[in-house]
Amino acid sequence: MSSILTNNSAMVALQTLKSINGNLAKTQDQISTGKEISTAKDNAAVWAISKVMESDVAGFEAVSESLAVGESTVAVAAAGAEQIVDILNDMKELAAGAVGETGDIPKTEALLAEKTAQINSIIGAAQFNGVNLLATDVDGNGGTQLTVLSSLDRSGSNSAANANAPTVTTIDIAGVDFEGDTNFDIGSRTTITDSATAQTALTEIEGFLQTAIEGAAALGASAERVSDQGSFVSKLTDAMKSGIGALVDADMEAASARLQALQTQQQLGVQALSIANQAPQTILSLFR
């Protein structure tokens, strides 16, 4: 039955064309944004997961910055401690030379005094961003250690009913305190006036040297730990970004092929609708 009031063919063609246009718009959006899931309406569950992961990535980028600052701070202190070890070795050599009767006592003592002043200068200058791990007051506020943000650990699912905030993990790096350590009271060294005092000073310098070596070794171990953690966080961040991409990024090759197909379908859909709209005009031939 033909009717001038109801055109079923045109309605079917119109619905088909609307569906094609909707798919075409979605594909064009994927190509323009590069994402298959860019809003919650595309896939609410996957979108929610990707947003949580993106927030974690932002947090890990802050962790990386914290680790970089911490690594630099420890590196400065370690360099200072290693330089102090070298100076103490020189002082040990000078004191050993003064033990013999042929040593020039006054010149040796003068050199030792200069090197002591140099050590004190290094201790005071070995700071980065206001933090000095060789000093008694590490941060200028009475602190004795450097706390470095090292990780954000999340466990469990994320939902309104089970909201698990990430747990902050830190690395605590203790200062070596070359200023207040009684085993490193270099200012109390025995003044060399003869062979006997030179021997006493040599024993004292040996003790200072061992303390400095232990402090430098501790700082070196801390520096390695912070550096390793920084490398891990960098790799973890990259892995998370890759995971987010796998969830929401569009397959551009597939999207391109789909775009071509939909454009062809759109053209055919327009032609089909045009043909369906012309069908009622055939009824006029019945009245001729």
Side-chain angles (χ1 to χ4, degrees), residues 30-203:
Q30 290 179 8
I31 292 174
S32 62
T33 63
K35 291 185 176 183
E36 182 177 0
I37 300 172
S38 57
T39 63
K41 71 177 183 178
D42 297 326
N43 187 319
V46 173
W47 179 85
I49 293 172
S50 70
K51 288 305 174 182
V52 172
M53 293 180 67
E54 285 175 3
S55 70
D56 285 349
V57 166
F60 276 111
E61 288 175 350
V63 169
S64 294
E65 294 175 0
S66 175
L67 287 168
V69 173
E71 183 177 359
S72 298
T73 304
V74 179
V76 168
E82 291 169 9
Q83 183 64 33
I84 289 173
V85 169
D86 291 340
I87 295 173
L88 286 169
N89 277 322
D90 293 339
M91 293 177 67
K92 180 180 177 179
E93 183 178 353
L94 289 169
V99 174
E101 296 295 336
T102 58
D104 190 334
I105 301 299
K107 288 183 179 179
T108 298
E109 178 58 33
L111 286 172
L112 289 174
E114 288 296 325
K115 290 187 178 297
T116 298
Q118 184 179 1
I119 289 175
N120 291 328
S121 177
I122 291 172
I123 293 173
Q127 64 84 28
F128 184 87
N129 195 32
V131 177
N132 189 340
L133 293 171
L134 303 185
T136 301
D137 187 352
V138 169
D139 57 5
N141 295 312
T144 59
Q145 66 181 19
L146 171 65
T147 299
V148 179
L149 178 64
S150 62
S151 183
L152 296 174
D153 303 333
R154 185 190 296 277
S155 62
S157 61
N158 295 283
S159 64
N162 184 25
N164 292 307
T167 302
V168 175
T169 304
T170 61
I171 296 175
D172 295 328
I173 303 169
V176 296
D177 190 11
F178 283 167
E179 289 182 337
D181 190 345
T182 56
N183 294 321
F184 198 79
D185 188 6
I186 196 168
S188 65
R189 175 186 59 83
T190 299
T191 301
I192 296 178
T193 57
D194 52 29
S195 180
T197 53
Q199 180 61 58
T200 302
L202 177 60
T203 302

Side-chain angles (χ1 to χ4, degrees), residues 236-271:
L236 179 60
T237 302
D238 289 343
M240 293 181 69
K241 289 179 179 179
S242 179
I244 294 171
L247 288 174
V248 302
D249 289 354
D251 184 340
M252 298 304 290
E253 292 87 351
S256 176
R258 188 161 55 251
L259 178 66
Q260 295 292 329
L262 288 170
Q263 287 175 336
T264 301
Q265 291 177 32
Q266 184 186 48
Q267 294 173 7
L268 292 173
V270 170
Q271 292 180 5

